[in-house]
Amino acid sequence: MLKMHQRNNASILEGSIMDKLLMFALPLAVTGILSQLFNAADVAIVGRFVGSAAMAAVGCNTPVISLLVSLFLGVSLGVNVVISRLTGMKNEKAVSRAAHTGILFSLLSGLFLLLLGEWLAPKILMLLSVPEDVLPMAVLYLRIYFLGMPVIFLYNFESAIFRSRGDTRTPLACLTIAGVINVILNVIFVVVCKRSVDGVAWATVISNAISSMILLYKLARREDAIRISLKKLRMDWGLLKRILHVGMPVGLQSTVFAISNILVQSAVNSLGSDVIAGASAAFNIEIFVYYLINSFGQACATFVGQNYGAGNVARCRKITARALLMDVCVGMVLAVVIYSVGPSLLSLFNTEPAIISCGMVRLKYILFAEGIAAVIEVFSGTMQGYEQSTVPAVITFLGVCSVRITWVYTIFRMAPSFGTLMICYPLSWAVTGLGLVIAYLILRRRLEQTKENIV
């Protein structure tokens, strides 16, 4: 088993690049897609067997949950990058300390949010103006969901540890098992036991607990430096500082996207029910393309992190170039394919011509800008691999938030149409992408001139 782990690490540090990037990225993309499908199953089951009010109670929690998950998923990437860097440096003792620090931090963070969430759940949902007839069920769902925060965070940090060593398949396998269990428990709790939103919430918590325990078991059985022993769980404050230095800006960067999307959604809501329905249907189609594009960015963070740790800046440059080429090509090919069958896909959600027409407007502006989104993901992932995550976070904040806020409150107000609103997506991506390219070129020049390899 140890030899297999060593081969996984060596494959990232030497040999061909494109095939290894693809084999790393595809399981990541499938993981995101499966997670989206399982979440959709939750909403479908509660909507079909409980009612529209219960469906609304689950749905209105989505912005809150998305913000929290986005923030701490970013922090977990800090574990990935730091362990990748230490792996490239062949500092196995520090790898072990970083892995144990990440596990302990995930549990403590999850416990903190559990307590905070139980106290603030009603206040949060009232701030979101949740209707009074939905509020009690929404609060119940959110409070049960917060009970699962420690195991949800644990799973994400465990996954990051596996990915730092080049293994994206094990987290995917665990997610698949947990997702199937989640759907089965949904049916048992909601259909058989006649529970409401609490049944769906408990199914989510239990399935996440199972997946996190499976990964913890597998980490405890490993024979390399990321093997987890409960006796060794302690905080290395120096490594935690490095993890947060990389991870917090990434989490805030993801949060910026979530907040800006909420702003745009409020503008969509002002255009009527057909636009809302069409935009929602299109989102559930385009999100699958995003997961694939995002996976190459995550791959860059791991591959660049290991090779930078090994002092091979030239290979880091090749990784970025190959990943960008693959990501842009994959994004554009998928855009053409999906857009060509867009009406058929949208009709799976609703057959009303007006809704399909609105959905096609969103698909046009989003899908054909995925090549620009690929630039953002790849260069962000590359700089994160260099442990330079603050710069892409700041550029994303300025490029995404400022452009979209300005657009919504100026151009859209003057010409309030769905097409006008959707232009803010490719425009904000273009501004952000340009800023990231410039920042990357400056960083690359500095690295190649100084050959720095700071531990």
Side-chain angles (χ1 to χ4, degrees), residues 158 162 212-222 228:
E158 290 166 338
F162 275 102
S212 64
M213 290 303 103
I214 293 174
L215 283 185
L216 187 61
Y217 172 79
K218 287 186 170 292
L219 284 172
R221 300 278 293 178
R222 301 250 323 185
I228 296 297

Side-chain angles (χ1 to χ4, degrees), residues 36 56 77 89 111-112 126 128-129 150 200-201 247 312 339 347 444 448 451:
Q36 182 71 20
L77 184 63
M89 298 172 67
L111 181 61
F112 171 75
M126 284 188 286
L128 291 175
S129 300
V200 175
N312 195 344
Y339 188 78
S347 66
R444 192 183 74 184
E448 292 178 345
K451 302 293 185 183

Side-chain angles (χ1 to χ4, degrees), residues 379-397:
F379 285 117
S380 291
T382 294
M383 284 187 277
Q384 289 156 9
Y386 288 127
E387 295 193 32
Q388 301 292 326
S389 59
T390 301
V391 173
V394 171
I395 292 174
T396 300
F397 174 78

